[in-house]
């Protein structure tokens, strides 16, 4: 029984690890589908505008824009997950150890500066930033570009979806700022359970709410990492107020996004080799935390 219980627990734990990935994927494709429906069928609501302003040409432009963002989100996410930032298969060159090197008793290896152990991934990660629960993968030296670009297009896509859903809010608020309209905007699932709205209205209200909340959360996370990028810091170094590896805005961009930092964000398929190896870093400041 203990063995069966352990196997069940392991399977449940694995499922819980992958649940955020499934949820994130479901929301991304749901929002894209809903916005596509708005572009093709609903928008704009006025019949005269449909003939005069919302032409087929503009529909094609909108669809191309949103599927370009969706393609970048999915491809960057795939490359982020498939690119390992860990020390596995990396020759660390322990004979050249210097200041900042530590010994990891879990991995039983000497690790370079900015490298730390992740207990979720069960391995040390080069230039570890944090463990991303939404992708069940660590953000490190080799996959930071894909992580940041995925955030960029998620932010742009959610901004676009929020603007496109503005008409949904307008339709809901046409009856005025009533208890019914406010509840439909804030907690549409309660209105669905009570039978006061149709499934179609619930779906639109739920997606619209998700776009707004998602946009606010992704905005905070994305701009926080943009600040870290220009400061040449990881999240762990931000907590300790250290900036010993900052090479200036352009230098930090090159060492994080690669030699083609100015164009690689347009597509994950654009090669942009990183100038470093994730082991040795140029020190430009004190390695001691600021007091």
């Amino acid at each position: 029984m203990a063995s069966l219980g352990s196997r069940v627990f392991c399977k449940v734990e694995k499922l819980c690890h992958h649940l955020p990935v499934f949820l994130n994927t479901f929301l991304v494709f749901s929002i894209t589908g809903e916005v596509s429906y708005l572009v093709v069928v609903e928008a704009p609501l006025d019949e005269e505008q449909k003939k005069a302003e919302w032409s087929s040409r503009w529909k094609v432009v909108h669809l191309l824009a949103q599927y370009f963002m969706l393609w970048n989100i999915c491809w960057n996410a795939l490359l982020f997950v498939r690119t390992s930032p860990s020390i596995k298969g990396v020759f660390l060159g322990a004979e050249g150890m210097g200041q900042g090197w530590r010994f990891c008793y879990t991995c039983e290896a000497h690790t370079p500066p900015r490298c730390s152990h992740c207990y979720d991934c069960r391995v040390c990660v080069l230039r570890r930033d944090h463990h991303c629960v939404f992708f069940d993968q660590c953000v490190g030296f080799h996959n930071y570009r894909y992580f940041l670009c995925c955030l960029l297009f998620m932010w742009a896509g959610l901004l676009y979806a929020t603007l496109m859903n503005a008409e949904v809010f307008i339709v809901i608020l046409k009856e005025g700022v009533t208890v019914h309209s406010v509840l439909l905007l804030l907690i549409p699932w309660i209105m669905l359970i009570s039978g006061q709205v149709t499934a179609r209205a619930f779906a639109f209200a739920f997606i619209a709410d998700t776009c707004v909340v998602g946009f606010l959360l992704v905005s905070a996370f994305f701009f926080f990492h943009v600040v870290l990028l220009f400061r040449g810091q990881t999240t762990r170094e931000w907590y300790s107020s250290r900036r010993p590896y900052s090479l200036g805005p352009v230098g930090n961009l090159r060492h994080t996004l690669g030699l083609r930092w100015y164009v690689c964000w347009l597509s994950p398929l654009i090669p942009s080799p990183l100038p470093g190896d994730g082991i040795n870093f140029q020190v430009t400041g004190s390695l001691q935390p600021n007091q």
Side-chain angles (χ1 to χ4, degrees), residues 53-96:
E53 298 176 16
W54 204 262
S55 64
S56 298
R57 182 179 301 174
W58 280 110
K59 287 185 178 183
V60 170
V61 170
H62 276 279
L63 290 173
L64 287 175
Q66 71 182 66
Y67 283 101
F68 171 73
M69 289 185 284
L70 176 64
W71 178 83
N72 267 286
I73 291 171
C74 294
W75 203 252
N76 275 297
L78 179 63
L79 290 178
F80 168 72
V81 171
R82 296 188 63 179
T83 304
S84 174
S86 72
I87 62 172
K88 289 182 178 178
V90 178
F91 178 68
L92 298 176
E95 68 277 359

mmCIF file of all heavy atoms in Angstrom, residues 53-96:
data_model
loop_
_atom_site.group_PDB
_atom_site.id
_atom_site.type_symbol
_atom_site.label_atom_id
_atom_site.label_comp_id
_atom_site.label_asym_id
_atom_site.label_seq_id
_atom_site.Cartn_x
_atom_site.Cartn_y
_atom_site.Cartn_z
ATOM 1 N N GLU A 53 -15.454 51.069 -42.588
ATOM 2 C CA GLU A 53 -14.162 51.108 -41.907
ATOM 3 C C GLU A 53 -13.582 49.717 -41.665
ATOM 4 O O GLU A 53 -12.369 49.525 -41.744
ATOM 5 C CB GLU A 53 -14.301 51.840 -40.560
ATOM 6 C CG GLU A 53 -14.735 53.295 -40.730
ATOM 7 C CD GLU A 53 -14.967 53.967 -39.383
ATOM 8 O OE1 GLU A 53 -14.520 53.422 -38.368
ATOM 9 O OE2 GLU A 53 -15.607 55.027 -39.352
ATOM 10 N N TRP A 54 -14.430 48.774 -41.308
ATOM 11 C CA TRP A 54 -13.915 47.454 -40.944
ATOM 12 C C TRP A 54 -13.891 46.564 -42.189
ATOM 13 O O TRP A 54 -14.590 45.573 -42.269
ATOM 14 C CB TRP A 54 -14.796 46.865 -39.846
ATOM 15 C CG TRP A 54 -14.081 45.837 -39.020
ATOM 16 C CD1 TRP A 54 -14.146 44.503 -39.159
ATOM 17 C CD2 TRP A 54 -13.188 46.075 -37.940
ATOM 18 N NE1 TRP A 54 -13.353 43.887 -38.241
ATOM 19 C CE2 TRP A 54 -12.753 44.825 -37.470
ATOM 20 C CE3 TRP A 54 -12.702 47.236 -37.322
ATOM 21 C CZ2 TRP A 54 -11.877 44.702 -36.414
ATOM 22 C CZ3 TRP A 54 -11.834 47.108 -36.281
ATOM 23 C CH2 TRP A 54 -11.422 45.851 -35.826
ATOM 24 N N SER A 55 -13.086 46.925 -43.152
ATOM 25 C CA SER A 55 -13.037 46.205 -44.415
ATOM 26 C C SER A 55 -12.297 44.887 -44.254
ATOM 27 O O SER A 55 -11.653 44.619 -43.239
ATOM 28 C CB SER A 55 -12.339 47.056 -45.475
ATOM 29 O OG SER A 55 -10.988 47.279 -45.106
ATOM 30 N N SER A 56 -12.383 44.057 -45.285
ATOM 31 C CA SER A 56 -11.687 42.766 -45.272
ATOM 32 C C SER A 56 -10.184 42.946 -45.156
ATOM 33 O O SER A 56 -9.489 42.140 -44.536
ATOM 34 C CB SER A 56 -12.019 41.990 -46.547
ATOM 35 O OG SER A 56 -13.393 41.717 -46.616
ATOM 36 N N ARG A 57 -9.683 44.032 -45.752
ATOM 37 C CA ARG A 57 -8.235 44.288 -45.684
ATOM 38 C C ARG A 57 -7.777 44.498 -44.245
ATOM 39 O O ARG A 57 -6.753 43.960 -43.819
ATOM 40 C CB ARG A 57 -7.899 45.514 -46.527
ATOM 41 C CG ARG A 57 -6.412 45.851 -46.575
ATOM 42 C CD ARG A 57 -6.164 47.063 -47.453
ATOM 43 N NE ARG A 57 -6.637 46.822 -48.825
ATOM 44 C CZ ARG A 57 -6.652 47.757 -49.769
ATOM 45 N NH1 ARG A 57 -6.233 48.991 -49.485
ATOM 46 N NH2 ARG A 57 -7.075 47.477 -50.973
ATOM 47 N N TRP A 58 -8.563 45.276 -43.482
ATOM 48 C CA TRP A 58 -8.183 45.521 -42.101
ATOM 49 C C TRP A 58 -8.337 44.273 -41.251
ATOM 50 O O TRP A 58 -7.583 44.055 -40.294
ATOM 51 C CB TRP A 58 -9.014 46.669 -41.518
ATOM 52 C CG TRP A 58 -8.484 48.004 -41.930
ATOM 53 C CD1 TRP A 58 -9.052 48.897 -42.782
ATOM 54 C CD2 TRP A 58 -7.243 48.584 -41.514
ATOM 55 N NE1 TRP A 58 -8.247 49.997 -42.930
ATOM 56 C CE2 TRP A 58 -7.133 49.837 -42.170
ATOM 57 C CE3 TRP A 58 -6.212 48.167 -40.673
ATOM 58 C CZ2 TRP A 58 -6.040 50.670 -41.989
ATOM 59 C CZ3 TRP A 58 -5.119 49.001 -40.496
ATOM 60 C CH2 TRP A 58 -5.035 50.225 -41.149
ATOM 61 N N LYS A 59 -9.312 43.436 -41.582
ATOM 62 C CA LYS A 59 -9.465 42.171 -40.851
ATOM 63 C C LYS A 59 -8.237 41.294 -41.058
ATOM 64 O O LYS A 59 -7.751 40.657 -40.110
ATOM 65 C CB LYS A 59 -10.721 41.448 -41.321
ATOM 66 C CG LYS A 59 -12.017 42.079 -40.844
ATOM 67 C CD LYS A 59 -13.217 41.233 -41.239
ATOM 68 C CE LYS A 59 -14.498 41.856 -40.711
ATOM 69 N NZ LYS A 59 -15.683 41.041 -41.013
ATOM 70 N N VAL A 60 -7.744 41.255 -42.289
ATOM 71 C CA VAL A 60 -6.552 40.458 -42.573
ATOM 72 C C VAL A 60 -5.358 40.994 -41.803
ATOM 73 O O VAL A 60 -4.558 40.221 -41.235
ATOM 74 C CB VAL A 60 -6.265 40.449 -44.093
ATOM 75 C CG1 VAL A 60 -4.896 39.829 -44.367
ATOM 76 C CG2 VAL A 60 -7.345 39.680 -44.835
ATOM 77 N N VAL A 61 -5.217 42.324 -41.741
ATOM 78 C CA VAL A 61 -4.105 42.937 -41.008
ATOM 79 C C VAL A 61 -4.177 42.565 -39.530
ATOM 80 O O VAL A 61 -3.165 42.193 -38.908
ATOM 81 C CB VAL A 61 -4.115 44.472 -41.184
ATOM 82 C CG1 VAL A 61 -3.120 45.131 -40.232
ATOM 83 C CG2 VAL A 61 -3.793 44.844 -42.621
ATOM 84 N N HIS A 62 -5.381 42.659 -38.964
ATOM 85 C CA HIS A 62 -5.546 42.317 -37.547
ATOM 86 C C HIS A 62 -5.247 40.851 -37.283
ATOM 87 O O HIS A 62 -4.596 40.497 -36.300
ATOM 88 C CB HIS A 62 -6.972 42.651 -37.097
ATOM 89 C CG HIS A 62 -7.152 44.081 -36.707
ATOM 90 N ND1 HIS A 62 -6.788 44.573 -35.474
ATOM 91 C CD2 HIS A 62 -7.658 45.130 -37.391
ATOM 92 C CE1 HIS A 62 -7.061 45.860 -35.410
ATOM 93 N NE2 HIS A 62 -7.592 46.230 -36.561
ATOM 94 N N LEU A 63 -5.719 39.975 -38.143
ATOM 95 C CA LEU A 63 -5.477 38.549 -37.958
ATOM 96 C C LEU A 63 -4.003 38.210 -38.097
ATOM 97 O O LEU A 63 -3.462 37.407 -37.321
ATOM 98 C CB LEU A 63 -6.304 37.742 -38.966
ATOM 99 C CG LEU A 63 -7.816 37.733 -38.731
ATOM 100 C CD1 LEU A 63 -8.524 37.036 -39.890
ATOM 101 C CD2 LEU A 63 -8.163 37.049 -37.415
ATOM 102 N N LEU A 64 -3.341 38.824 -39.084
ATOM 103 C CA LEU A 64 -1.905 38.585 -39.245
ATOM 104 C C LEU A 64 -1.128 39.060 -38.023
ATOM 105 O O LEU A 64 -0.195 38.393 -37.565
ATOM 106 C CB LEU A 64 -1.396 39.285 -40.509
ATOM 107 C CG LEU A 64 -1.796 38.669 -41.845
ATOM 108 C CD1 LEU A 64 -1.302 39.553 -43.002
ATOM 109 C CD2 LEU A 64 -1.239 37.258 -41.989
ATOM 110 N N ALA A 65 -1.506 40.214 -37.485
ATOM 111 C CA ALA A 65 -0.807 40.764 -36.317
ATOM 112 C C ALA A 65 -0.963 39.843 -35.107
ATOM 113 O O ALA A 65 0.022 39.529 -34.421
ATOM 114 C CB ALA A 65 -1.337 42.155 -35.997
ATOM 115 N N GLN A 66 -2.188 39.393 -34.855
ATOM 116 C CA GLN A 66 -2.381 38.582 -33.659
ATOM 117 C C GLN A 66 -1.782 37.189 -33.800
ATOM 118 O O GLN A 66 -1.247 36.638 -32.825
ATOM 119 C CB GLN A 66 -3.862 38.494 -33.294
ATOM 120 C CG GLN A 66 -4.713 37.665 -34.203
ATOM 121 C CD GLN A 66 -6.168 37.689 -33.761
ATOM 122 O OE1 GLN A 66 -6.826 38.713 -33.803
ATOM 123 N NE2 GLN A 66 -6.656 36.563 -33.314
ATOM 124 N N TYR A 67 -1.794 36.625 -35.001
ATOM 125 C CA TYR A 67 -1.187 35.296 -35.146
ATOM 126 C C TYR A 67 0.334 35.378 -35.226
ATOM 127 O O TYR A 67 1.021 34.405 -34.923
ATOM 128 C CB TYR A 67 -1.781 34.571 -36.349
ATOM 129 C CG TYR A 67 -3.146 34.018 -36.036
ATOM 130 C CD1 TYR A 67 -4.299 34.658 -36.453
ATOM 131 C CD2 TYR A 67 -3.272 32.873 -35.246
ATOM 132 C CE1 TYR A 67 -5.558 34.168 -36.118
ATOM 133 C CE2 TYR A 67 -4.520 32.372 -34.909
ATOM 134 C CZ TYR A 67 -5.656 33.024 -35.341
ATOM 135 O OH TYR A 67 -6.893 32.536 -34.997
ATOM 136 N N PHE A 68 0.854 36.524 -35.616
ATOM 137 C CA PHE A 68 2.298 36.740 -35.520
ATOM 138 C C PHE A 68 2.723 36.745 -34.053
ATOM 139 O O PHE A 68 3.734 36.134 -33.670
ATOM 140 C CB PHE A 68 2.685 38.063 -36.183
ATOM 141 C CG PHE A 68 4.109 38.482 -35.959
ATOM 142 C CD1 PHE A 68 5.151 37.837 -36.609
ATOM 143 C CD2 PHE A 68 4.413 39.516 -35.082
ATOM 144 C CE1 PHE A 68 6.475 38.216 -36.395
ATOM 145 C CE2 PHE A 68 5.727 39.904 -34.866
ATOM 146 C CZ PHE A 68 6.759 39.253 -35.527
ATOM 147 N N MET A 69 1.934 37.419 -33.198
ATOM 148 C CA MET A 69 2.236 37.434 -31.765
ATOM 149 C C MET A 69 2.066 36.055 -31.160
ATOM 150 O O MET A 69 2.884 35.620 -30.336
ATOM 151 C CB MET A 69 1.347 38.462 -31.058
ATOM 152 C CG MET A 69 1.718 39.903 -31.377
ATOM 153 S SD MET A 69 0.772 41.132 -30.449
ATOM 154 C CE MET A 69 -0.795 41.080 -31.316
ATOM 155 N N LEU A 70 1.006 35.335 -31.556
ATOM 156 C CA LEU A 70 0.786 33.985 -31.037
ATOM 157 C C LEU A 70 1.928 33.058 -31.436
ATOM 158 O O LEU A 70 2.415 32.262 -30.617
ATOM 159 C CB LEU A 70 -0.537 33.432 -31.560
ATOM 160 C CG LEU A 70 -0.855 31.980 -31.183
ATOM 161 C CD1 LEU A 70 -1.030 31.831 -29.679
ATOM 162 C CD2 LEU A 70 -2.092 31.480 -31.925
ATOM 163 N N TRP A 71 2.377 33.155 -32.687
ATOM 164 C CA TRP A 71 3.485 32.318 -33.164
ATOM 165 C C TRP A 71 4.743 32.593 -32.355
ATOM 166 O O TRP A 71 5.445 31.656 -31.948
ATOM 167 C CB TRP A 71 3.729 32.599 -34.643
ATOM 168 C CG TRP A 71 4.874 31.830 -35.213
ATOM 169 C CD1 TRP A 71 4.870 30.545 -35.669
ATOM 170 C CD2 TRP A 71 6.225 32.294 -35.381
ATOM 171 N NE1 TRP A 71 6.119 30.179 -36.108
ATOM 172 C CE2 TRP A 71 6.975 31.230 -35.944
ATOM 173 C CE3 TRP A 71 6.864 33.499 -35.118
ATOM 174 C CZ2 TRP A 71 8.325 31.358 -36.248
ATOM 175 C CZ3 TRP A 71 8.215 33.619 -35.407
ATOM 176 C CH2 TRP A 71 8.923 32.553 -35.970
ATOM 177 N N ASN A 72 5.032 33.863 -32.079
ATOM 178 C CA ASN A 72 6.219 34.201 -31.299
ATOM 179 C C ASN A 72 6.107 33.711 -29.861
ATOM 180 O O ASN A 72 7.095 33.232 -29.285
ATOM 181 C CB ASN A 72 6.435 35.727 -31.319
ATOM 182 C CG ASN A 72 7.354 36.168 -32.430
ATOM 183 O OD1 ASN A 72 8.567 35.981 -32.371
ATOM 184 N ND2 ASN A 72 6.777 36.738 -33.475
ATOM 185 N N ILE A 73 4.917 33.818 -29.275
ATOM 186 C CA ILE A 73 4.730 33.330 -27.906
ATOM 187 C C ILE A 73 4.992 31.834 -27.838
ATOM 188 O O ILE A 73 5.746 31.349 -26.981
ATOM 189 C CB ILE A 73 3.297 33.652 -27.414
ATOM 190 C CG1 ILE A 73 3.122 35.161 -27.219
ATOM 191 C CG2 ILE A 73 3.008 32.918 -26.100
ATOM 192 C CD1 ILE A 73 1.689 35.569 -26.950
ATOM 193 N N CYS A 74 4.374 31.086 -28.747
ATOM 194 C CA CYS A 74 4.486 29.620 -28.716
ATOM 195 C C CYS A 74 5.902 29.158 -29.034
ATOM 196 O O CYS A 74 6.439 28.269 -28.361
ATOM 197 C CB CYS A 74 3.497 28.999 -29.708
ATOM 198 S SG CYS A 74 1.768 29.265 -29.277
ATOM 199 N N TRP A 75 6.529 29.768 -30.041
ATOM 200 C CA TRP A 75 7.863 29.310 -30.445
ATOM 201 C C TRP A 75 8.914 29.679 -29.397
ATOM 202 O O TRP A 75 9.801 28.876 -29.104
ATOM 203 C CB TRP A 75 8.214 29.898 -31.805
ATOM 204 C CG TRP A 75 9.256 29.099 -32.539
ATOM 205 C CD1 TRP A 75 10.555 29.429 -32.757
ATOM 206 C CD2 TRP A 75 9.079 27.806 -33.132
ATOM 207 N NE1 TRP A 75 11.201 28.440 -33.438
ATOM 208 C CE2 TRP A 75 10.321 27.425 -33.689
ATOM 209 C CE3 TRP A 75 7.992 26.939 -33.253
ATOM 210 C CZ2 TRP A 75 10.497 26.221 -34.344
ATOM 211 C CZ3 TRP A 75 8.167 25.734 -33.909
ATOM 212 C CH2 TRP A 75 9.410 25.391 -34.452
ATOM 213 N N ASN A 76 8.813 30.887 -28.835
ATOM 214 C CA ASN A 76 9.738 31.269 -27.770
ATOM 215 C C ASN A 76 9.550 30.385 -26.542
ATOM 216 O O ASN A 76 10.530 29.986 -25.905
ATOM 217 C CB ASN A 76 9.534 32.740 -27.385
ATOM 218 C CG ASN A 76 10.306 33.696 -28.274
ATOM 219 O OD1 ASN A 76 11.534 33.670 -28.316
ATOM 220 N ND2 ASN A 76 9.590 34.539 -28.999
ATOM 221 N N ALA A 77 8.286 30.065 -26.219
ATOM 222 C CA ALA A 77 8.017 29.198 -25.072
ATOM 223 C C ALA A 77 8.591 27.804 -25.304
ATOM 224 O O ALA A 77 9.172 27.194 -24.396
ATOM 225 C CB ALA A 77 6.511 29.121 -24.809
ATOM 226 N N LEU A 78 8.435 27.295 -26.524
ATOM 227 C CA LEU A 78 8.963 25.966 -26.841
ATOM 228 C C LEU A 78 10.484 25.932 -26.730
ATOM 229 O O LEU A 78 11.058 25.015 -26.124
ATOM 230 C CB LEU A 78 8.523 25.557 -28.244
ATOM 231 C CG LEU A 78 9.016 24.184 -28.740
ATOM 232 C CD1 LEU A 78 8.449 23.078 -27.869
ATOM 233 C CD2 LEU A 78 8.626 23.968 -30.194
ATOM 234 N N LEU A 79 11.150 26.934 -27.290
ATOM 235 C CA LEU A 79 12.613 26.985 -27.223
ATOM 236 C C LEU A 79 13.092 27.222 -25.793
ATOM 237 O O LEU A 79 14.142 26.710 -25.389
ATOM 238 C CB LEU A 79 13.136 28.080 -28.150
ATOM 239 C CG LEU A 79 12.999 27.803 -29.648
ATOM 240 C CD1 LEU A 79 13.502 28.987 -30.464
ATOM 241 C CD2 LEU A 79 13.758 26.541 -30.048
ATOM 242 N N PHE A 80 12.323 27.993 -25.032
ATOM 243 C CA PHE A 80 12.672 28.228 -23.632
ATOM 244 C C PHE A 80 12.662 26.919 -22.848
ATOM 245 O O PHE A 80 13.576 26.631 -22.072
ATOM 246 C CB PHE A 80 11.693 29.221 -23.015
ATOM 247 C CG PHE A 80 11.783 29.307 -21.516
ATOM 248 C CD1 PHE A 80 12.873 29.911 -20.906
ATOM 249 C CD2 PHE A 80 10.786 28.777 -20.710
ATOM 250 C CE1 PHE A 80 12.968 29.987 -19.525
ATOM 251 C CE2 PHE A 80 10.868 28.839 -19.333
ATOM 252 C CZ PHE A 80 11.957 29.450 -18.738
ATOM 253 N N VAL A 81 11.625 26.109 -23.055
ATOM 254 C CA VAL A 81 11.509 24.844 -22.328
ATOM 255 C C VAL A 81 12.556 23.842 -22.796
ATOM 256 O O VAL A 81 13.114 23.079 -21.995
ATOM 257 C CB VAL A 81 10.086 24.271 -22.502
ATOM 258 C CG1 VAL A 81 10.003 22.865 -21.936
ATOM 259 C CG2 VAL A 81 9.063 25.172 -21.820
ATOM 260 N N ARG A 82 12.857 23.839 -24.095
ATOM 261 C CA ARG A 82 13.762 22.839 -24.649
ATOM 262 C C ARG A 82 15.242 23.217 -24.499
ATOM 263 O O ARG A 82 16.112 22.387 -24.730
ATOM 264 C CB ARG A 82 13.448 22.614 -26.127
ATOM 265 C CG ARG A 82 12.063 22.027 -26.370
ATOM 266 C CD ARG A 82 11.856 21.644 -27.799
ATOM 267 N NE ARG A 82 12.772 20.585 -28.213
ATOM 268 C CZ ARG A 82 12.790 20.042 -29.417
ATOM 269 N NH1 ARG A 82 11.940 20.470 -30.350
ATOM 270 N NH2 ARG A 82 13.645 19.095 -29.723
ATOM 271 N N THR A 83 15.530 24.461 -24.130
ATOM 272 C CA THR A 83 16.920 24.904 -23.955
ATOM 273 C C THR A 83 17.282 24.823 -22.481
ATOM 274 O O THR A 83 16.772 25.582 -21.659
ATOM 275 C CB THR A 83 17.107 26.349 -24.459
ATOM 276 O OG1 THR A 83 16.692 26.436 -25.822
ATOM 277 C CG2 THR A 83 18.563 26.773 -24.339
ATOM 278 N N SER A 84 18.152 23.912 -22.158
ATOM 279 C CA SER A 84 18.521 23.706 -20.757
ATOM 280 C C SER A 84 19.576 24.728 -20.324
ATOM 281 O O SER A 84 20.614 24.873 -20.973
ATOM 282 C CB SER A 84 19.072 22.295 -20.550
ATOM 283 O OG SER A 84 19.563 22.143 -19.232
ATOM 284 N N PRO A 85 19.320 25.431 -19.220
ATOM 285 C CA PRO A 85 20.321 26.382 -18.709
ATOM 286 C C PRO A 85 21.203 25.774 -17.623
ATOM 287 O O PRO A 85 21.967 26.492 -16.981
ATOM 288 C CB PRO A 85 19.440 27.486 -18.128
ATOM 289 C CG PRO A 85 18.246 26.746 -17.599
ATOM 290 C CD PRO A 85 18.047 25.532 -18.488
ATOM 291 N N SER A 86 21.106 24.459 -17.413
ATOM 292 C CA SER A 86 21.791 23.825 -16.290
ATOM 293 C C SER A 86 23.261 23.540 -16.624
ATOM 294 O O SER A 86 23.728 23.757 -17.747
ATOM 295 C CB SER A 86 21.087 22.516 -15.923
ATOM 296 O OG SER A 86 21.326 21.531 -16.910
ATOM 297 N N ILE A 87 23.966 23.025 -15.629
ATOM 298 C CA ILE A 87 25.384 22.707 -15.805
ATOM 299 C C ILE A 87 25.589 21.327 -16.426
ATOM 300 O O ILE A 87 26.727 20.920 -16.655
ATOM 301 C CB ILE A 87 26.134 22.773 -14.460
ATOM 302 C CG1 ILE A 87 25.574 21.724 -13.484
ATOM 303 C CG2 ILE A 87 26.046 24.167 -13.870
ATOM 304 C CD1 ILE A 87 26.365 21.588 -12.204
ATOM 305 N N LYS A 88 24.498 20.608 -16.711
ATOM 306 C CA LYS A 88 24.634 19.271 -17.298
ATOM 307 C C LYS A 88 25.316 19.350 -18.659
ATOM 308 O O LYS A 88 24.900 20.096 -19.534
ATOM 309 C CB LYS A 88 23.253 18.627 -17.456
ATOM 310 C CG LYS A 88 22.607 18.212 -16.148
ATOM 311 C CD LYS A 88 21.273 17.530 -16.387
ATOM 312 C CE LYS A 88 20.640 17.077 -15.074
ATOM 313 N NZ LYS A 88 19.309 16.442 -15.295
ATOM 314 N N GLY A 89 26.387 18.577 -18.811
ATOM 315 C CA GLY A 89 27.116 18.556 -20.072
ATOM 316 C C GLY A 89 28.020 19.744 -20.292
ATOM 317 O O GLY A 89 28.591 19.905 -21.372
ATOM 318 N N VAL A 90 28.162 20.612 -19.283
ATOM 319 C CA VAL A 90 29.012 21.802 -19.403
ATOM 320 C C VAL A 90 30.315 21.558 -18.672
ATOM 321 O O VAL A 90 30.327 21.151 -17.499
ATOM 322 C CB VAL A 90 28.307 23.046 -18.823
ATOM 323 C CG1 VAL A 90 29.218 24.262 -18.896
ATOM 324 C CG2 VAL A 90 27.002 23.315 -19.566
ATOM 325 N N PHE A 91 31.436 21.781 -19.360
ATOM 326 C CA PHE A 91 32.748 21.655 -18.724
ATOM 327 C C PHE A 91 33.020 22.941 -17.949
ATOM 328 O O PHE A 91 33.178 24.015 -18.532
ATOM 329 C CB PHE A 91 33.844 21.432 -19.769
ATOM 330 C CG PHE A 91 35.228 21.339 -19.176
ATOM 331 C CD1 PHE A 91 35.586 20.259 -18.382
ATOM 332 C CD2 PHE A 91 36.153 22.344 -19.404
ATOM 333 C CE1 PHE A 91 36.853 20.183 -17.827
ATOM 334 C CE2 PHE A 91 37.429 22.265 -18.865
ATOM 335 C CZ PHE A 91 37.774 21.181 -18.071
ATOM 336 N N LEU A 92 33.056 22.830 -16.633
ATOM 337 C CA LEU A 92 33.152 24.012 -15.785
ATOM 338 C C LEU A 92 34.577 24.499 -15.600
ATOM 339 O O LEU A 92 34.792 25.634 -15.186
ATOM 340 C CB LEU A 92 32.519 23.723 -14.417
ATOM 341 C CG LEU A 92 31.015 23.394 -14.458
ATOM 342 C CD1 LEU A 92 30.524 23.044 -13.065
ATOM 343 C CD2 LEU A 92 30.230 24.569 -15.013
ATOM 344 N N GLY A 93 35.546 23.680 -15.890
ATOM 345 C CA GLY A 93 36.936 24.122 -15.764
ATOM 346 C C GLY A 93 37.292 24.504 -14.341
ATOM 347 O O GLY A 93 37.688 25.637 -14.078
ATOM 348 N N ALA A 94 37.113 23.569 -13.423
ATOM 349 C CA ALA A 94 37.314 23.869 -12.000
ATOM 350 C C ALA A 94 38.740 24.293 -11.675
ATOM 351 O O ALA A 94 38.981 24.938 -10.660
ATOM 352 C CB ALA A 94 36.936 22.649 -11.154
ATOM 353 N N GLU A 95 39.679 23.953 -12.574
ATOM 354 C CA GLU A 95 41.072 24.328 -12.266
ATOM 355 C C GLU A 95 41.272 25.836 -12.336
ATOM 356 O O GLU A 95 42.249 26.374 -11.817
ATOM 357 C CB GLU A 95 42.031 23.628 -13.243
ATOM 358 C CG GLU A 95 41.941 24.099 -14.699
ATOM 359 C CD GLU A 95 40.811 23.414 -15.444
ATOM 360 O OE1 GLU A 95 40.129 22.567 -14.830
ATOM 361 O OE2 GLU A 95 40.623 23.718 -16.641
ATOM 362 N N GLY A 96 40.338 26.531 -12.974
ATOM 363 C CA GLY A 96 40.456 27.992 -13.065
ATOM 364 C C GLY A 96 39.532 28.706 -12.106
ATOM 365 O O GLY A 96 39.126 29.832 -12.361
#
